[in-house]
Amino acid sequence: MPENQNKKLEERIIEKLKTVYDPEFPLVDMYTLGLIYGVDLDKEKNICNITMTFTTPTCPMADMIMNLVKNAVLDVISDWEVNIIISFEPMWQPSMIKDTDLQKMFL
């Protein structure tokens, strides 16, 4: 897959991730909250790795959120393998919110 097609695919995945919401913050999507750390596409192996976090390591909805994220990605690339990688490095902070106006509400 050419690099610009790969970038467009990543953009489509990000747009789809913007439809997934953390139940703790049901008015803001996971991507805008800064809970999605990365989208890594291995075009040769058709593997997508999503690196993400939660607002807290003890998130009671972790399994449900991971499934929502995985299913959102599969809606875009149904024939790819999708891996969810959980990272708390760095720990999520309100300063990671991508919308600056929204960020001000948390600071």
Side-chain angles (χ1 to χ4, degrees), residues 41 100 104:
L41 301 173
T100 53
K104 291 174 187 173

Side-chain angles (χ1 to χ4, degrees), residues 82-101:
V82 177
N83 300 309
I84 305 297
I85 301 160
I86 303 302
S87 176
F88 293 102
E89 295 293 326
M91 283 292 293
W92 181 84
Q93 305 173 48
S95 61
M96 296 171 149
I97 296 171
K98 294 180 183 353
D99 181 288
T100 53
D101 290 332

Side-chain angles (χ1 to χ4, degrees), residues 1-7 43:
M1 180 181 299
E3 188 60 34
N4 73 340
Q5 278 185 312
N6 207 26
K7 192 69 175 161
K43 59 189 174 194

Side-chain angles (χ1 to χ4, degrees), residues 31-48:
Y31 187 81
T32 302
L33 272 174
L35 296 171
I36 305 294
Y37 287 172
V39 176
D40 181 43
L41 301 173
D42 183 334
K43 59 189 174 194
E44 292 177 13
K45 296 180 182 177
N46 285 359
I47 297 174
C48 176

Side-chain angles (χ1 to χ4, degrees), residues 48-52 66-67 69-70 73 82-86:
C48 176
N49 294 314
I50 303 293
T51 305
M52 60 174 284
M66 288 188 301
N67 282 330
V69 168
K70 184 173 185 171
V73 175
V82 177
N83 300 309
I84 305 297
I85 301 160
I86 303 302

